[in-house]
Amino acid sequence: MVARHAQPSARKSLSRRSKAVGGLALTTLVGTALWAWPASGDDHDSLADGRNGAPKTAAAPDTAGAPKAAAHTARDAAARRIPGLSDAVRKQIPANTRQVLVVTGKARDSYESQVILYTRAEGSDVWRPGRIWAAHNAARGWTDDHHYGDLRSPEGVYSLTDAGGRLPAPDGTKLPYDHNHNFVANGTGVEGEPLAGAFDYVIAINYNRVPGTSPLDQERPDGATKGGGVWLHMDHDGPTQGCVSLKPDAMRELLRTLDPGLHPVVVMGPAGR
């Protein structure tokens, strides 16, 4: 949440003027999807010697090879996963998700983050990383119990279904996009930096909001005290009130890449969580 857009009593909900623009589909992502994967094994038979009738001793299992095979299998499984995510978080990623945007905070109380988009091909469990972008999160870091005004970003796994901004959608944008002059950040940021242009492009994070509506929509299903208006938006060289901010080139690339047909989600929180 940055600046004034998250005020619970702020503007009225605006009617949707979203448009889905055809474009580029990205395929690849991380082997921990809100989440599912496989395993296998085999065994052996012993034979008799037909020439002398004496039973042939069954070969002993290759006990030395078994740990190696298990280690190899574990390495392969780990290579398919999105790194840095716990099993509990992986299980929250829907099985049909093929785009996972991972926002990793430097520390629980830090407002510095990095962002990586992972993708996977249809039918594959191998997640592949894209570029790494520097980002900012909320001024006081992260929380798993976000409330309005706490200056912390909410941890969790959230779908990404809607976008908008003061500027027209970049060519190739696939998410429904509300081009609206009401995407204006007033005043200054937490550290006094100007906010002009911060909402030129935004992507709504589906925390305490109704998916399928403009990012400007003010409905808060869990109540106003739980905050809302948590977006990915343009960076203003300082911490946010709860959002995640990225440089313009990163926002444009995400708008061209995130595809509702691939069910994108964002996984966000501090390192180690």
Side-chain angles (χ1 to χ4, degrees):
M1 273 173 297
V2 172
R4 311 296 193 264
H5 76 270
Q7 300 289 343
S9 59
R11 321 175 194 50
K12 297 179 180 177
S13 298
L14 300 179
S15 60
R16 189 63 187 256
R17 289 190 290 161
S18 56
K19 64 178 179 181
V21 182
L24 183 74
L26 203 99
T27 52
T28 48
L29 275 180
V30 181
T32 62
L34 310 166
W35 287 323
W37 308 252
S40 63
D42 57 58
D43 57 14
H44 305 274
D45 292 327
S46 60
L47 300 175
D49 185 335
R51 288 177 296 178
N52 59 23
K56 197 170 188 177
T57 303
D62 182 3
T63 54
K68 293 180 183 177
H72 181 71
T73 301
R75 284 196 300 271
D76 285 349
R80 292 194 295 267
R81 295 176 178 173
I82 296 171
L85 304 186
S86 69
D87 287 341
V89 170
R90 290 186 183 108
K91 290 173 183 176
Q92 295 176 56
I93 299 172
N96 62 355
T97 289
R98 289 167 52 198
Q99 292 180 323
V100 175
L101 190 69
V102 178
V103 180
T104 305
K106 185 175 180 179
R108 180 173 176 78
D109 298 326
S110 171
Y111 58 76
E112 295 179 356
S113 301
Q114 72 171 23
V115 177
I116 306 176
L117 178 62
Y118 289 85
T119 60
R120 68 180 175 90
E122 185 175 4
S124 172
D125 63 356
V126 178
W127 291 94
R128 302 197 181 279
R131 293 174 55 192
I132 299 175
W133 294 300
H136 287 113
N137 52 273
R140 294 178 182 166
W142 300 89
T143 180
D144 58 6
D145 186 21
H146 178 65
H147 285 79
Y148 175 76
D150 64 8
L151 293 181
R152 291 186 179 271
S153 296
E155 302 173 27
V157 179
Y158 307 103
S159 57
L160 302 171
T161 57
D162 305 282
R166 188 182 64 84
L167 298 180
D171 291 344
T173 297
K174 299 175 183 64
L175 292 174
Y177 189 93
D178 181 15
H179 178 206
N180 195 310
H181 292 294
N182 287 309
F183 283 101
V184 176
N186 297 311
T188 58
V190 176
E191 295 188 334
E193 72 280 8
L195 298 179
F199 303 154
D200 283 354
Y201 298 125
V202 311
I203 298 169
I205 294 170
N206 287 345
Y207 168 83
N208 197 20
R209 72 178 297 271
V210 179
T213 61
S214 167
L216 292 170
D217 186 79
Q218 293 290 310
E219 185 173 350
R220 303 289 180 252
D222 295 328
T225 60
K226 292 293 289 180
V230 181
W231 299 342
L232 301 166
H233 65 66
M234 305 275 265
D235 191 66
H236 45 78
D237 296 321
T240 72
Q241 291 188 19
C243 298
V244 174
S245 63
L246 299 102
K247 295 299 184 183
D249 63 333
M251 285 300 298
R252 283 189 286 266
E253 185 168 337
L254 286 174
L255 284 166
R256 294 186 180 109
T257 302
L258 294 174
D259 185 343
L262 303 181
H263 310 285
V265 301
V266 60
V267 178
M268 47 197 279
R273 296 293 295 272

XYZ file of all heavy atoms in Angstrom, residues 75-162:
696
model
N 18.219 -34.590 -5.576
C 18.764 -33.432 -6.286
C 17.889 -33.056 -7.471
O 17.645 -31.889 -7.742
C 20.196 -33.717 -6.756
C 21.244 -33.643 -5.645
C 22.644 -33.547 -6.220
N 22.966 -34.703 -7.058
C 23.515 -35.820 -6.599
N 23.785 -35.942 -5.310
N 23.784 -36.808 -7.423
N 17.417 -34.072 -8.208
C 16.544 -33.806 -9.357
C 15.263 -33.121 -8.908
O 14.789 -32.176 -9.547
C 16.201 -35.112 -10.084
C 17.377 -35.628 -10.906
O 18.353 -34.867 -11.070
O 17.309 -36.778 -11.379
N 14.680 -33.620 -7.796
C 13.440 -33.021 -7.297
C 13.677 -31.584 -6.868
O 12.871 -30.696 -7.152
C 12.896 -33.848 -6.123
N 14.809 -31.353 -6.187
C 15.115 -29.995 -5.733
C 15.314 -29.052 -6.912
O 14.930 -27.883 -6.867
C 16.355 -30.009 -4.851
N 15.911 -29.562 -7.993
C 16.162 -28.724 -9.170
C 14.870 -28.294 -9.843
O 14.837 -27.285 -10.538
C 17.045 -29.480 -10.160
N 13.800 -29.072 -9.633
C 12.519 -28.725 -10.257
C 11.753 -27.691 -9.451
O 10.785 -27.118 -9.941
C 11.657 -29.988 -10.407
C 12.204 -30.991 -11.410
C 11.152 -32.033 -11.768
N 10.794 -32.864 -10.637
C 11.357 -34.035 -10.353
N 12.349 -34.477 -11.095
N 10.953 -34.750 -9.318
N 12.147 -27.450 -8.229
C 11.390 -26.584 -7.339
C 11.819 -25.128 -7.438
O 12.953 -24.823 -7.784
C 11.567 -27.045 -5.891
C 10.995 -28.413 -5.617
C 11.295 -28.818 -4.189
N 10.718 -30.117 -3.876
C 10.930 -30.773 -2.752
N 11.719 -30.234 -1.833
N 10.370 -31.937 -2.534
N 10.915 -24.265 -7.053
C 11.277 -22.859 -6.884
C 12.077 -22.773 -5.592
O 11.596 -23.165 -4.536
C 10.034 -21.971 -6.794
C 9.250 -22.029 -8.093
C 10.415 -20.535 -6.464
C 7.897 -21.357 -8.031
N 13.304 -22.281 -5.652
C 14.126 -22.249 -4.440
C 13.611 -21.246 -3.422
O 12.991 -20.241 -3.758
C 15.514 -21.842 -4.969
C 15.243 -21.143 -6.259
C 14.028 -21.785 -6.833
N 13.902 -21.563 -2.142
C 13.593 -20.624 -1.075
C 12.194 -20.707 -0.520
O 11.853 -19.969 0.403
N 11.357 -21.608 -1.062
C 9.979 -21.726 -0.578
C 9.843 -22.966 0.302
O 10.347 -24.033 -0.033
C 8.988 -21.825 -1.745
C 9.010 -20.698 -2.773
C 7.867 -20.893 -3.770
C 8.932 -19.332 -2.123
N 9.142 -22.826 1.392
C 8.889 -23.968 2.271
C 7.851 -24.888 1.644
O 7.108 -24.505 0.742
C 8.382 -23.482 3.629
O 7.083 -22.927 3.496
N 7.791 -26.128 2.139
C 6.777 -27.063 1.652
C 5.377 -26.518 1.896
O 4.475 -26.683 1.071
C 6.931 -28.424 2.327
C 8.141 -29.186 1.815
O 8.634 -28.848 0.719
O 8.604 -30.107 2.516
N 5.175 -25.862 3.039
C 3.855 -25.304 3.352
C 3.446 -24.255 2.328
O 2.285 -24.201 1.895
C 3.867 -24.700 4.758
N 4.392 -23.422 1.922
C 4.089 -22.401 0.915
C 3.854 -23.038 -0.442
O 2.924 -22.674 -1.165
C 5.229 -21.362 0.841
C 5.054 -20.441 -0.352
C 5.279 -20.546 2.124
N 4.687 -24.023 -0.802
C 4.519 -24.696 -2.096
C 3.121 -25.284 -2.247
O 2.534 -25.271 -3.324
C 5.563 -25.805 -2.244
C 6.980 -25.289 -2.412
C 7.954 -26.422 -2.702
N 9.308 -25.911 -2.794
C 10.247 -26.106 -1.884
N 9.975 -26.808 -0.796
N 11.449 -25.600 -2.042
N 2.609 -25.822 -1.149
C 1.294 -26.464 -1.202
C 0.162 -25.463 -1.395
O -0.959 -25.848 -1.693
C 1.069 -27.281 0.062
C 1.951 -28.517 0.108
C 1.859 -29.230 1.443
C 2.819 -30.416 1.482
N 2.828 -31.074 2.811
N 0.445 -24.186 -1.200
C -0.581 -23.157 -1.417
C -0.653 -22.702 -2.870
O -1.585 -22.009 -3.256
C -0.295 -21.948 -0.527
C -0.394 -22.221 0.952
C -0.010 -21.004 1.768
O -0.574 -19.926 1.614
N 0.966 -21.155 2.635
N 0.317 -23.064 -3.667
C 0.325 -22.671 -5.080
C -0.621 -23.597 -5.840
O -0.446 -24.816 -5.802
C 1.743 -22.745 -5.667
C 2.669 -21.783 -4.929
C 1.741 -22.400 -7.156
C 4.124 -21.895 -5.296
N -1.616 -23.073 -6.530
C -2.565 -23.936 -7.245
C -1.863 -24.824 -8.270
O -0.865 -24.423 -8.882
C -3.502 -22.931 -7.931
C -3.377 -21.684 -7.121
C -1.967 -21.647 -6.633
N -2.372 -26.036 -8.450
C -1.762 -26.992 -9.366
C -1.765 -26.493 -10.805
O -0.914 -26.888 -11.604
C -2.477 -28.334 -9.265
N -2.723 -25.622 -11.163
C -2.800 -25.146 -12.552
C -1.975 -23.872 -12.793
O -1.966 -23.342 -13.903
C -4.251 -24.906 -12.968
C -4.949 -23.843 -12.143
O -4.383 -23.324 -11.172
N -6.179 -23.515 -12.496
N -1.282 -23.398 -11.776
C -0.458 -22.192 -11.921
C 0.819 -22.506 -12.685
O 1.517 -23.470 -12.374
C -0.108 -21.610 -10.543
O -1.283 -21.044 -9.968
C 0.957 -20.525 -10.648
N 1.108 -21.667 -13.680
C 2.336 -21.839 -14.460
C 3.208 -20.579 -14.453
O 4.216 -20.518 -15.146
C 1.993 -22.265 -15.892
C 1.460 -23.708 -15.956
C 0.837 -24.052 -17.281
N 1.723 -23.743 -18.388
C 1.308 -23.618 -19.651
N 0.022 -23.766 -19.934
N 2.161 -23.335 -20.607
N 2.813 -19.579 -13.676
C 3.620 -18.386 -13.484
C 3.589 -18.029 -11.993
O 2.516 -17.834 -11.427
C 3.077 -17.202 -14.296
C 3.210 -17.377 -15.803
C 2.662 -16.186 -16.568
O 1.654 -15.595 -16.177
N 3.312 -15.834 -17.659
N 4.774 -17.973 -11.374
C 4.881 -17.633 -9.957
C 5.874 -16.481 -9.814
O 7.047 -16.617 -10.167
C 5.343 -18.831 -9.102
C 5.564 -18.405 -7.649
C 4.323 -19.965 -9.166
N 5.385 -15.370 -9.319
C 6.236 -14.213 -9.059
C 6.657 -14.274 -7.596
O 5.818 -14.191 -6.699
C 5.461 -12.925 -9.348
C 6.275 -11.630 -9.344
C 7.229 -11.603 -10.537
C 5.348 -10.418 -9.383
N 7.947 -14.449 -7.350
C 8.460 -14.594 -5.992
C 9.084 -13.277 -5.548
O 10.038 -12.788 -6.164
C 9.491 -15.739 -5.894
C 10.049 -15.829 -4.480
C 8.851 -17.066 -6.296
N 8.511 -12.691 -4.486
C 9.039 -11.457 -3.891
C 9.683 -11.839 -2.566
O 8.994 -12.270 -1.642
C 7.922 -10.415 -3.664
C 8.501 -9.140 -3.054
C 7.184 -10.117 -4.962
N 10.998 -11.699 -2.478
C 11.728 -12.106 -1.284
C 12.310 -10.884 -0.595
O 13.177 -10.194 -1.152
C 12.867 -13.076 -1.640
O 12.337 -14.182 -2.370
C 13.557 -13.586 -0.379
N 11.832 -10.601 0.612
C 12.362 -9.489 1.382
C 13.726 -9.810 1.955
O 14.017 -10.966 2.288
N 14.564 -8.810 2.058
C 15.919 -9.004 2.583
C 15.883 -9.521 4.016
O 16.694 -10.355 4.415
C 16.689 -7.682 2.505
C 18.137 -7.763 2.901
C 18.824 -6.428 2.670
C 20.299 -6.490 3.056
N 20.968 -5.184 2.813
N 14.956 -9.026 4.816
C 14.777 -9.463 6.203
C 13.367 -9.088 6.644
O 12.675 -8.326 5.958
C 15.817 -8.816 7.126
N 12.942 -9.618 7.791
C 11.566 -9.386 8.238
C 11.245 -7.902 8.395
O 10.144 -7.457 8.094
C 11.310 -10.109 9.559
C 9.893 -9.911 10.082
C 9.607 -10.765 11.285
N 8.284 -10.495 11.815
C 7.144 -10.957 11.304
N 7.171 -11.710 10.223
N 5.986 -10.656 11.843
N 12.206 -7.116 8.861
C 11.957 -5.699 9.111
C 12.560 -4.787 8.039
O 12.637 -3.572 8.232
C 12.504 -5.300 10.484
C 11.815 -6.051 11.612
O 10.613 -6.336 11.481
O 12.486 -6.367 12.616
N 12.969 -5.363 6.927
C 13.598 -4.592 5.854
C 12.585 -4.234 4.772
O 11.616 -4.966 4.533
C 14.735 -5.402 5.224
O 15.229 -4.769 4.061
N 12.819 -3.095 4.101
C 11.955 -2.724 2.969
C 12.637 -2.980 1.625
O 12.144 -2.548 0.585
C 11.489 -1.273 3.066
C 12.567 -0.213 3.131
C 13.276 0.161 2.000
C 12.846 0.424 4.340
C 14.249 1.151 2.067
C 13.813 1.412 4.417
C 14.508 1.773 3.273
O 15.460 2.751 3.341
N 13.759 -3.710 1.640
C 14.436 -4.064 0.392
C 14.070 -5.494 0.000
O 14.083 -6.404 0.840
C 15.948 -3.940 0.560
C 16.412 -2.517 0.821
C 17.910 -2.437 1.011
O 18.575 -3.499 1.022
O 18.426 -1.311 1.148
N 13.761 -5.695 -1.295
C 13.335 -7.000 -1.786
C 13.977 -7.284 -3.139
O 14.527 -6.391 -3.781
C 11.816 -7.051 -1.971
O 11.133 -6.781 -0.771
N 13.861 -8.537 -3.550
C 14.135 -8.877 -4.940
C 12.964 -9.686 -5.478
O 12.258 -10.365 -4.730
C 15.443 -9.645 -5.109
C 15.428 -11.072 -4.627
C 16.683 -11.837 -5.023
O 17.735 -11.261 -5.278
N 16.571 -13.155 -5.078
N 12.759 -9.583 -6.784
C 11.604 -10.198 -7.439
C 12.089 -11.049 -8.604
O 12.910 -10.598 -9.409
C 10.620 -9.121 -7.937
C 9.459 -9.760 -8.692
C 10.100 -8.283 -6.772
N 11.585 -12.289 -8.691
C 11.904 -13.193 -9.804
C 10.606 -13.824 -10.286
O 9.802 -14.307 -9.477
C 12.878 -14.309 -9.393
C 14.145 -13.734 -8.760
C 13.243 -15.175 -10.594
C 15.106 -14.792 -8.248
N 10.403 -13.854 -11.596
C 9.250 -14.545 -12.178
C 9.688 -15.932 -12.629
O 10.593 -16.085 -13.453
C 8.702 -13.768 -13.371
C 7.514 -14.427 -14.089
C 6.313 -14.560 -13.156
C 7.142 -13.652 -15.345
N 9.054 -16.961 -12.070
C 9.294 -18.352 -12.460
C 8.146 -18.819 -13.352
O 6.982 -18.496 -13.101
C 9.382 -19.253 -11.237
C 10.629 -19.053 -10.412
C 10.702 -18.061 -9.438
C 11.739 -19.874 -10.603
C 11.857 -17.880 -8.683
C 12.895 -19.699 -9.848
C 12.940 -18.704 -8.888
O 14.076 -18.533 -8.144
N 8.497 -19.630 -14.369
C 7.479 -20.166 -15.265
C 7.740 -21.657 -15.497
O 8.863 -22.132 -15.324
C 7.492 -19.437 -16.618
O 8.777 -19.597 -17.222
C 7.225 -17.942 -16.440
N 6.710 -22.356 -15.887
C 6.882 -23.752 -16.278
C 6.018 -24.039 -17.496
O 4.950 -23.445 -17.693
C 6.534 -24.711 -15.129
C 5.077 -24.755 -14.738
C 4.844 -25.747 -13.594
N 3.475 -25.712 -13.136
C 2.498 -26.481 -13.640
N 2.764 -27.340 -14.611
N 1.262 -26.384 -13.167
N 6.487 -24.978 -18.328
C 5.755 -25.355 -19.530
C 4.565 -26.243 -19.171
O 4.546 -26.888 -18.120
C 6.678 -26.084 -20.492
N 3.598 -26.284 -20.041
C 2.436 -27.141 -19.826
C 2.880 -28.593 -19.708
O 3.664 -29.090 -20.509
C 1.445 -26.992 -20.981
C 0.154 -27.756 -20.780
C -0.854 -27.489 -21.873
O -0.518 -26.774 -22.834
O -1.994 -28.002 -21.763
N 2.405 -29.267 -18.661
C 2.741 -30.668 -18.443
C 4.084 -30.894 -17.784
O 4.461 -32.035 -17.514
N 4.819 -29.821 -17.499
C 6.137 -29.953 -16.874
C 6.065 -29.542 -15.414
O 5.247 -28.712 -15.025
C 7.151 -29.055 -17.606
O 8.386 -29.015 -16.916
N 6.954 -30.137 -14.579
C 7.054 -29.704 -13.186
C 8.357 -28.951 -12.944
O 8.767 -28.732 -11.807
C 6.908 -30.879 -12.218
C 8.024 -31.911 -12.361
O 8.879 -31.751 -13.261
O 8.039 -32.887 -11.588
N 9.025 -28.565 -14.007
C 10.290 -27.840 -13.897
C 10.026 -26.338 -13.978
O 9.523 -25.830 -14.980
C 11.271 -28.248 -15.013
C 12.565 -27.432 -14.908
C 11.574 -29.741 -14.938
N 10.364 -25.633 -12.919
C 10.193 -24.183 -12.865
C 11.483 -23.500 -13.287
O 12.555 -23.829 -12.790
C 9.822 -23.746 -11.444
C 8.458 -24.187 -11.044
C 8.123 -25.319 -10.373
C 7.237 -23.493 -11.296
N 6.760 -25.382 -10.186
C 6.186 -24.275 -10.746
C 6.915 -22.291 -11.935
C 4.863 -23.885 -10.811
C 5.594 -21.906 -11.999
C 4.581 -22.702 -11.437
N 11.381 -22.544 -14.174
C 12.562 -21.851 -14.680
C 12.493 -20.368 -14.309
O 11.466 -19.718 -14.518
C 12.682 -22.028 -16.188
C 12.767 -23.505 -16.594
C 13.284 -23.688 -17.995
N 13.326 -25.102 -18.373
C 14.292 -25.940 -18.039
N 15.308 -25.502 -17.318
N 14.255 -27.198 -18.413
N 13.598 -19.836 -13.778
C 13.597 -18.440 -13.350
C 13.844 -17.480 -14.506
O 14.525 -17.799 -15.477
C 14.767 -18.390 -12.360
C 15.717 -19.441 -12.877
C 14.856 -20.532 -13.455
N 13.286 -16.288 -14.370
C 13.575 -15.206 -15.295
C 14.568 -14.243 -14.670
O 15.382 -14.625 -13.831
N 14.465 -12.981 -15.068
C 15.374 -11.964 -14.559
C 15.123 -11.688 -13.073
O 14.035 -11.934 -12.556
C 15.179 -10.669 -15.348
C 15.591 -10.750 -16.793
C 15.222 -9.474 -17.532
N 15.771 -8.288 -16.891
C 15.417 -7.049 -17.185
N 14.489 -6.820 -18.121
N 15.975 -6.020 -16.569
N 16.146 -11.149 -12.416
C 16.020 -10.713 -11.026
C 15.885 -9.199 -11.014
O 16.689 -8.489 -11.625
C 17.250 -11.132 -10.199
C 17.385 -12.660 -10.184
C 17.150 -10.588 -8.776
C 18.652 -13.142 -9.489
N 14.840 -8.696 -10.337
C 14.615 -7.255 -10.238
C 14.722 -6.825 -8.778
O 14.210 -7.494 -7.877
C 13.222 -6.891 -10.741
C 12.994 -7.109 -12.201
C 13.662 -6.533 -13.245
C 12.004 -7.957 -12.799
N 13.151 -6.965 -14.441
C 12.131 -7.840 -14.206
C 11.019 -8.798 -12.283
C 11.312 -8.521 -15.100
C 10.202 -9.484 -13.165
C 10.352 -9.345 -14.557
N 15.347 -5.685 -8.554
C 15.334 -5.074 -7.235
C 13.968 -4.433 -7.000
O 13.315 -3.969 -7.944
C 16.440 -4.025 -7.125
N 13.517 -4.422 -5.752
C 12.190 -3.889 -5.437
C 12.181 -3.326 -4.020
O 13.114 -3.538 -3.242
C 11.132 -4.989 -5.571
N 11.115 -2.605 -3.717
C 10.860 -2.133 -2.353
C 9.541 -2.723 -1.857
O 8.598 -2.895 -2.636
C 10.766 -0.602 -2.311
C 12.076 0.095 -2.480
N 12.377 0.865 -3.583
C 13.169 0.132 -1.688
C 13.608 1.349 -3.454
N 14.109 0.921 -2.312
N 9.485 -3.017 -0.569
C 8.232 -3.391 0.083
C 7.951 -2.355 1.174
O 8.493 -1.257 1.150
C 8.311 -4.819 0.632
C 9.518 -5.068 1.508
O 10.582 -5.405 1.008
N 9.363 -4.881 2.820
N 7.096 -2.693 2.137
C 6.657 -1.706 3.130
C 7.788 -1.273 4.063
O 8.748 -2.010 4.318
C 5.494 -2.264 3.946
N 7.638 -0.065 4.605
C 8.694 0.581 5.385
C 9.139 -0.236 6.591
O 10.321 -0.232 6.952
C 8.207 1.966 5.847
N 8.214 -0.963 7.233
C 8.570 -1.742 8.423
C 8.745 -3.228 8.131
O 8.854 -4.033 9.046
C 7.511 -1.545 9.507
C 7.462 -0.110 10.039
C 6.380 0.067 11.078
N 6.312 1.451 11.541
C 5.294 1.958 12.246
N 4.261 1.177 12.587
N 5.318 3.227 12.628
N 8.751 -3.584 6.856
C 8.996 -4.968 6.489
C 7.730 -5.767 6.241
O 6.852 -5.332 5.501
N 7.610 -6.931 6.909
C 6.593 -7.935 6.574
C 5.787 -8.349 7.804
O 6.233 -8.221 8.933
C 7.273 -9.175 5.981
C 8.030 -8.873 4.735
C 9.344 -8.481 4.643
C 7.523 -8.896 3.410
N 9.677 -8.270 3.335
C 8.594 -8.516 2.560
C 6.282 -9.208 2.857
C 8.446 -8.440 1.175
C 6.131 -9.136 1.474
C 7.197 -8.760 0.657
N 4.602 -8.895 7.528
C 3.762 -9.428 8.599
C 2.857 -10.512 8.042
O 2.463 -10.472 6.867
C 2.889 -8.337 9.243
O 2.084 -8.920 10.276
C 1.967 -7.683 8.225
N 2.528 -11.503 8.890
C 1.532 -12.506 8.497
C 0.150 -12.158 9.051
O -0.774 -12.962 8.977
C 1.963 -13.907 8.930
C 2.186 -14.023 10.438
O 1.903 -13.041 11.170
O 2.644 -15.084 10.891
N 0.018 -10.951 9.607
C -1.277 -10.472 10.117
C -1.394 -8.976 9.817
O -1.367 -8.136 10.720
C -1.382 -10.749 11.619
C -2.766 -10.401 12.177
O -3.739 -10.340 11.381
O -2.869 -10.177 13.393
N -1.523 -8.684 8.546
C -1.506 -7.293 8.094
C -2.764 -6.540 8.532
O -3.866 -7.073 8.504
C -1.404 -7.266 6.567
C -1.436 -5.895 5.976
N -0.451 -4.959 6.206
C -2.341 -5.299 5.154
C -0.747 -3.841 5.539
N -1.883 -4.031 4.907
N -2.559 -5.276 8.940
C -3.667 -4.372 9.262
C -3.405 -3.013 8.631
O -2.246 -2.628 8.417
C -3.832 -4.221 10.783
C -4.462 -5.402 11.432
N -3.760 -6.561 11.709
C -5.735 -5.639 11.847
C -4.570 -7.441 12.270
N -5.777 -6.912 12.367
N -4.467 -2.315 8.365
C -4.359 -1.003 7.751
C -3.446 -0.092 8.572
O -3.582 0.026 9.790
C -5.753 -0.364 7.623
C -5.702 1.048 7.105
C -5.476 1.298 5.760
C -5.861 2.132 7.966
C -5.412 2.598 5.285
C -5.806 3.430 7.494
C -5.573 3.660 6.142
O -5.499 4.945 5.681
N -2.461 0.513 7.896
C -1.597 1.479 8.547
C -0.413 0.909 9.297
O 0.340 1.678 9.910
N -0.194 -0.412 9.267
C 0.926 -0.962 10.039
C 2.270 -0.828 9.322
O 3.307 -1.162 9.883
C 0.675 -2.418 10.433
C 0.578 -3.388 9.257
O 0.847 -2.974 8.112
O 0.235 -4.565 9.492
N 2.240 -0.332 8.098
C 3.461 -0.122 7.302
C 4.253 -1.415 7.125
O 5.488 -1.421 7.082
C 4.339 0.971 7.901
C 3.762 2.400 7.871
C 4.759 3.383 8.472
C 3.390 2.810 6.445
N 3.519 -2.540 6.996
C 4.124 -3.826 6.687
C 3.398 -4.457 5.504
O 2.190 -4.283 5.355
C 4.084 -4.772 7.893
C 4.996 -4.328 9.038
C 5.047 -5.364 10.152
N 5.937 -4.937 11.231
C 7.241 -5.188 11.273
N 7.807 -5.885 10.294
N 7.982 -4.770 12.283
N 4.132 -5.184 4.681
C 3.538 -5.891 3.546
C 3.018 -7.253 3.997
O 3.665 -7.925 4.811
C 4.574 -6.084 2.436
O 5.002 -4.847 1.911
N 1.876 -7.683 3.478
C 1.330 -8.982 3.890
C 2.095 -10.147 3.261
O 2.329 -10.173 2.057
C -0.107 -8.927 3.373
C -0.068 -7.977 2.226
C 0.987 -6.965 2.555
N 2.488 -11.102 4.093
C 3.105 -12.331 3.593
C 2.009 -13.242 3.044
O 0.869 -13.199 3.488
C 3.831 -13.064 4.718
C 4.915 -12.268 5.413
C 5.472 -13.002 6.620
O 5.427 -14.258 6.633
O 5.944 -12.333 7.552
N 2.380 -14.103 2.078
C 1.412 -15.079 1.612
C 1.510 -15.362 0.130
O 2.414 -14.906 -0.575
N 0.528 -16.134 -0.346
C 0.394 -16.503 -1.755
C -0.917 -15.916 -2.253
O -1.987 -16.225 -1.711
C 0.392 -18.039 -1.930
C 0.218 -18.421 -3.394
C 1.673 -18.640 -1.360
N -0.845 -15.066 -3.270
C -2.023 -14.352 -3.751
C -2.083 -14.412 -5.277
O -1.052 -14.303 -5.956
C -1.984 -12.879 -3.312
C -1.790 -12.704 -1.828
C -0.544 -12.348 -1.304
C -2.839 -12.908 -0.933
C -0.349 -12.201 0.059
C -2.661 -12.762 0.431
C -1.406 -12.406 0.925
O -1.219 -12.269 2.279
N -3.277 -14.554 -5.805
C -3.438 -14.566 -7.258
C -3.291 -13.149 -7.823
O -3.465 -12.156 -7.115
C -4.792 -15.168 -7.641
O -5.857 -14.452 -7.027
N -2.976 -13.092 -9.111
C -2.825 -11.836 -9.844
C -3.772 -11.873 -11.030
O -3.549 -12.613 -11.987
C -1.376 -11.671 -10.316
C -0.286 -11.681 -9.239
C 1.105 -11.741 -9.879
C -0.400 -10.455 -8.334
N -4.848 -11.102 -10.966
C -5.883 -11.201 -12.001
C -6.192 -9.888 -12.699
O -6.851 -9.916 -13.752
C -7.197 -11.734 -11.391
O -7.597 -10.870 -10.302
C -7.035 -13.159 -10.870
N -5.757 -8.746 -12.149
C -6.217 -7.456 -12.662
C -5.099 -6.420 -12.618
O -4.255 -6.433 -11.723
C -7.407 -6.959 -11.833
C -8.529 -7.981 -11.783
O -9.269 -8.088 -12.764
O -8.621 -8.701 -10.761
